[in-house]
Amino acid sequence: MPDLAIDGGPAAAEALSIPEWPQPVAESRENLLEVFESGTWCRGPWIERLEDEFADYHDAEHAIAVSNGTVAIELALRAAGVEPGDEVIVPSYSFIASASAVPTVGAIPRFADTDPATFTIDPDSVREQITADTVGVVGVHFAGYPMDLDELVPICEEHDLFLIEDAAHAHGSEWRGRKVGAFGAFGTFSFQESKSLPSGEGGIVVTDDDVLAERARTMQNIGRAQGETGYRHYTLSSNSRMSAFQAAVALGQLETLPAENERREENEEILLSELEAIDGVRTKPRDDRITARGYCLENFRYDPDGFDGLSRERFVEALRTEGVPVFDGYEVPIYRQPAFFRDEVRRLLPPGAEIPDYRNLPLPGAEQLCRENVAYSHPLLLADEEGIRAVADAIRKVQAHAADLRAREA
Ligand SMILES: Cc1ncc(COP(=O)(O)O)c(C=O)c1O
């Protein structure tokens, strides 16, 4: 076995060539120029086209374009009827917006644990968090791997809760042959530039419900009724509209998304078949109910026992030096972020609201993922087959040298 790259040997994943991201599509450029010269930079036909095409692509009746994926969740919560002091169950292992949107609209987040096998919200833990004040659940299709909708939708129906699917990572993901997003009250997406459908910033909300769609449209447009542009405002809400420039870019990028996702899926299959055979690498379960995958990042769990006790930090460092750009993700679950210190949350909630002691929550699944996660971004899955196989070669090489690396850690 050649020397580790960390010791000056050749990088095992030299063949891995990852495309730059975002990848500008020619159609986005043409659309942008058209918008620029049209004089309609706000609202109008480009936004409507994006909403129609995205709703169609994601098997939803309605889509409402917004300025980013964070306000998409806030808008969905408001339109779903959340009121100050209500409780909403949120994921513990995700980007902070999946949970911070809840206090931002004056409601109390209650964190559910995360299933470490799938990185998605644990339905049993959701059940445990339901109280008389719970009005809804936000879950994430984390890394584009759908949460268990067979479990979550009935729990929500049984307890009369809305479900918001944070699908910021899941453009194109399918559950039992249907795209995610409109299984619950709302699905929310991000078009931020690192996402698989990028428009710089941007987002969209989807729903099958006509009434919820109209409420979301009104609230997205500072209280104006659908289709109106004047000075009559029916609700007190903000402006979260997307600009026509963002829509122009997203429309172009949407053209290439399905083929890119197919390529990612094929490559993930190759990578999985290699990784599943490596001791100490825990991949996500194959699930027949997931009929297509979208991606933002992808993850596996690292078990030092398969690597002579080598720490994950040192494994990630060695693998990066071998040419595979992995990273270890969130250092702490969302509830241990400084933003969730009680005084910080209290500022946003009605006086007297009972706020859990987030910092001391015992949610072992989320904690485990913070220790074991190894992630890579979706453009890696657009590499060629030789590059994809080189990822597994690099892991095996680090494994072969693990005892030596471990000895240096001590
Ligand atoms: C799971 C998840 N939800 C929501 C968001 C928020 O999206 P945005 O950055 O467009 O506000 C992100 C962004 O990374 C995310 O990863």
Side-chain angles (χ1 to χ4, degrees):
M1 184 63 68
D3 279 352
L4 285 166
I6 234 167
D7 294 326
E14 232 159 35
L16 177 64
S17 167
I18 301 174
E20 294 287 319
W21 200 265
Q23 281 269 304
V25 173
E27 194 171 327
S28 294
R29 184 180 292 114
E30 287 158 25
N31 291 349
L32 266 177
L33 271 177
E34 257 191 72
V35 169
F36 189 64
E37 279 157 15
S38 73
T40 305
W41 293 0
C42 165
R43 305 193 191 94
W46 290 93
I47 302 283
E48 284 163 23
R49 224 182 98 194
L50 175 66
E51 292 178 340
D52 288 349
E53 289 192 20
F54 194 84
D56 204 36
Y57 175 57
H58 250 277
D59 299 331
E61 288 296 317
H62 307 276
I64 299 121
V66 293
S67 46
N68 61 62
T70 302
V71 300
I73 307 169
E74 293 165 8
L75 178 66
L77 288 164
R78 286 205 174 95
V82 171
E83 292 186 358
D86 285 344
E87 289 184 8
V88 178
I89 297 171
V90 294
S92 44
Y93 189 85
S94 180
F95 182 65
I96 192 168
S98 310
S100 61
V102 170
T104 303
V105 303
I108 304 168
R110 290 188 73 95
F111 287 91
D113 204 359
T114 307
D115 175 359
T118 62
F119 291 65
T120 61
I121 197 161
D122 176 348
D124 290 333
S125 181
V126 169
R127 278 185 201 282
E128 284 163 18
Q129 295 305 320
I130 296 172
T131 72
D133 295 324
T134 310
V135 296
V137 178
V138 180
V140 190
H141 300 302
F142 191 81
Y145 188 104
M147 50 194 169
D148 191 336
L149 292 165
D150 286 4
E151 291 278 338
L152 288 164
V153 171
I155 294 175
C156 290
E157 283 170 357
E158 186 189 329
H159 294 273
D160 198 18
L161 310 176
F162 63 75
L163 174 64
I164 293 174
E165 299 167 56
D166 178 353
H169 299 171
H171 316 74
S173 292
E174 262 181 36
W175 183 259
R176 295 189 183 278
R178 183 182 168 199
K179 297 264 184 351
V180 300
F183 282 81
F186 284 109
T188 63
F189 293 80
S190 165
F191 299 159
Q192 184 266 342
E193 74 172 3
S194 68
K195 305 297 188 292
S196 61
L197 175 55
S199 66
E201 298 281 359
I204 208 159
V205 173
V206 299
T207 182
D208 270 355
D209 187 304
D210 299 348
V211 175
L212 289 182
E214 196 176 330
R215 273 186 15 211
R217 273 196 194 289
T218 300
M219 291 179 167
Q220 166 247 29
N221 192 13
I222 196 154
R224 290 188 183 97
Q226 188 164 341
E228 287 184 15
T229 53
Y231 296 111
R232 185 166 286 266
H233 304 265
Y234 299 89
T235 61
L236 293 172
S237 54
S238 192
N239 167 10
S240 47
R241 295 189 309 264
M242 173 186 270
S243 91
F245 294 106
Q246 289 166 295
V249 175
L251 274 164
Q253 305 299 125
L254 184 55
E255 291 294 308
T256 54
L257 175 69
E260 285 165 351
N261 273 349
E262 269 178 42
R263 172 86 175 275
R264 292 182 182 106
E265 249 188 292
E266 284 162 16
N267 275 336
E268 198 199 359
E269 184 51 45
I270 295 169
L271 189 55
L272 269 183
S273 63
E274 299 253 11
L275 297 188
E276 281 168 346
I278 301 178
D279 195 24
V281 171
R282 304 254 163 86
T283 54
K284 294 178 190 173
R286 293 165 187 270
D287 186 337
D288 290 347
R289 298 170 301 174
I290 301 173
T291 41
R293 272 294 301 275
Y295 297 89
C296 176
L297 38 97
E298 189 46 286
N299 324 67
F300 58 83
R301 283 182 296 133
Y302 173 77
D303 179 358
D305 285 350
F307 289 78
D308 291 301
L310 181 70
S311 70
R312 179 192 54 171
E313 288 61 33
R314 200 80 175 117
F315 167 77
V316 164
E317 186 191 351
L319 199 53
R320 290 180 68 86
T321 324
E322 295 297 335
V324 185
V326 288
F327 52 98
D328 47 18
Y330 312 119
E331 276 168 46
V332 291
I334 302 180
Y335 52 85
R336 288 212 277 113
Q337 289 278 355
F340 276 95
F341 290 178
R342 266 205 195 124
D343 285 347
E344 189 58 28
V345 178
R346 201 183 308 280
R347 283 192 310 116
L348 302 175
L349 301 191
E354 241 179 74
I355 304 169
D357 178 9
Y358 296 119
R359 248 190 301 184
N360 293 310
L361 280 182
L363 296 181
E367 306 277 342
Q368 184 182 344
L369 286 175
C370 290
R371 291 191 304 274
E372 298 181 356
N373 175 39
V374 177
Y376 50 90
S377 294
H378 64 90
L380 183 146
L381 291 173
L382 295 173
D384 62 16
E385 182 175 344
E386 193 191 354
I388 294 295
R389 292 201 187 277
V391 171
D393 291 341
I395 295 174
R396 284 187 287 260
K397 181 177 169 191
V398 174
Q399 191 167 45
H401 289 271
D404 175 27
L405 283 169
R406 170 84 182 97
R408 290 188 237 169
E409 269 191 316

